[in-house]
Amino acid sequence: MGLDERAEGAEIRLAGPSELAGALSGADVLLVWDFLSPAVPDAWRAADTGAVRWVHTASAGVDKVTFPEILEHPAQITNARGVFDRPIAEYVTGVVLAFAKDLPTTLRLQGRREWRHRETSAVHGRTAVVVGSGPIGRAIADMLGAVGLRTELVGRRAGEGVHAFDALPGLLPSADVLVLAAPLTDATRGMLDKAALDLLPDTARVVNVGRGGLVVEQDLVAALQGGRIAGAALDVFETEPLPADSPLWEMANVIVSPHMSGDVVGWRGMLVDQFLANLARYRAGEPLHNVVDKSLGYVKGTS
């Protein structure tokens, strides 16, 4: 990560899951680099965390570090808001265009050396409903708008250019693309279930770049298998890595990627730079950037 030579004067303890509790005891800052690891809650409960004042997760989502004991603790939680906005927007725009231009079929036909002329779809004038009105969702809406889609942004509450979450059922019937970019909270967990899928037109496609828990996966699989919706591009899943026996792997109308939509060349360095900038603020006694509102589960002012 390059912290040793750049965090001058700081005692750095590198720890895997089995060493984390011991390393955490007496520490005042916890950097959760492996944001998918389930190790933090158990280590936190086993450690003496009285000295901890700040927990930073190298991810936009904070669901892995918002367990009850840490929510009750006075330590501040910060996230990596701002690092992944444009890369994820580029991923979403890429898969939307790939579906419209039927690139998955083109690649399959190319692999068989089969020449088959086809007509594809335009994206101009189509409607994308983007759930999540934080920086990532807004970047997605802006980029999809730039290639001609009409975008409807949905957040926790209504605001300028943003629909409230309870307006989502009324938007789904007109959605050509449904993009999930919301944080995983009690309010959003399982939001895309059979009832919501049944509101989508059968030509709609789902793109999930938020968290796997936003989707009831068995309901999505059933909708895809039954032709209830046209396809899906999924970067996150209920279980990661996606089990080898998942039917999603073999569906011709599904694009599976391994939780990498925001991981462009240089992303690790950007995360380190962001953490070190906040570490300088912490050591100077200045307010931290990207502080998560523990009652909401994300940085206040985003959703």
Side-chain angles (χ1 to χ4, degrees):
M1 290 188 294
L3 289 179
D4 289 338
E5 60 272 22
R6 298 177 62 190
E8 184 178 352
E11 177 191 349
I12 298 175
R13 306 172 182 174
L14 299 179
S18 61
E19 303 90 22
L20 183 56
L24 186 55
S25 296
D28 56 329
V29 178
L30 171 62
L31 167 58
V32 183
W33 185 257
D34 181 3
F35 65 89
L36 293 177
S37 172
V40 175
D42 287 344
W44 187 274
R45 294 173 188 125
D48 175 5
T49 61
V52 179
R53 294 293 175 265
W54 171 32
V55 176
H56 177 78
T57 179
S59 61
V62 298
D63 48 286
K64 294 293 186 182
V65 295
T66 49
F67 47 92
E69 291 84 355
I70 204 170
L71 293 178
E72 296 167 1
H73 195 280
Q76 290 186 302
I77 299 173
T78 61
N79 73 349
R81 183 179 69 155
V83 171
F84 301 108
D85 306 356
R86 186 174 181 89
I88 292 177
E90 291 175 352
Y91 169 92
V92 172
T93 304
V95 295
V96 168
L97 291 171
F99 275 133
K101 302 310 169 187
D102 201 20
L103 290 182
T105 301
T106 296
L107 293 174
R108 285 192 292 271
L109 293 174
Q110 179 181 345
R112 301 200 298 260
R113 304 188 181 209
E114 182 177 342
W115 183 278
R116 189 195 304 171
H117 180 270
R118 305 173 324 282
E119 293 180 344
T120 61
S121 302
V123 297
H124 187 271
R126 302 288 185 176
T127 298
V129 174
V130 180
V131 183
S133 61
I136 292 175
R138 290 178 183 275
I140 291 168
D142 288 346
M143 199 168 292
L144 291 179
V147 296
L149 282 91
R150 184 171 67 90
T151 59
E152 302 285 357
L153 199 56
V154 178
R156 191 171 73 94
R157 57 168 61 95
E160 185 176 354
V162 180
H163 300 276
F165 188 75
D166 58 10
L168 182 60
L171 296 171
L172 293 179
S174 62
D176 297 295
V177 180
L178 173 63
V179 182
L180 304 181
L184 182 61
T185 66
D186 290 342
T188 60
R189 189 179 302 275
M191 58 170 288
L192 188 64
D193 57 7
K194 183 180 185 301
L197 287 161
D198 283 346
L199 292 174
L200 289 168
D202 57 13
T203 54
R205 294 184 173 93
V206 171
V207 181
N208 189 7
V209 291
R211 285 289 186 265
L214 298 174
V215 176
V216 180
E217 203 163 282
Q218 63 182 7
D219 291 353
L220 178 61
V221 168
L224 290 162
Q225 289 175 329
R228 183 61 198 81
I229 60 173
L234 307 171
D235 188 55
V236 288
F237 303 88
E238 286 181 345
T239 300
E240 295 182 6
L242 181 65
D245 60 356
S246 171
L248 292 167
W249 285 110
E250 298 183 348
M251 293 185 182
N253 58 345
V254 174
I255 296 173
V256 169
S257 57
H259 205 139
M260 56 178 280
S261 61
D263 299 348
V264 295
V265 173
W267 67 283
R268 293 177 180 86
M270 289 186 283
L271 288 173
V272 170
D273 290 345
Q274 182 187 58
F275 172 73
L276 289 173
N278 236 1
L279 180 62
R281 298 181 67 85
Y282 172 80
R283 297 172 84 174
E286 299 173 357
L288 298 176
H289 289 155
N290 292 358
V291 176
V292 173
D293 185 321
K294 291 183 177 181
S295 68
L296 297 176
Y298 48 84
V299 178
K300 197 168 185 178
T302 71
S303 59

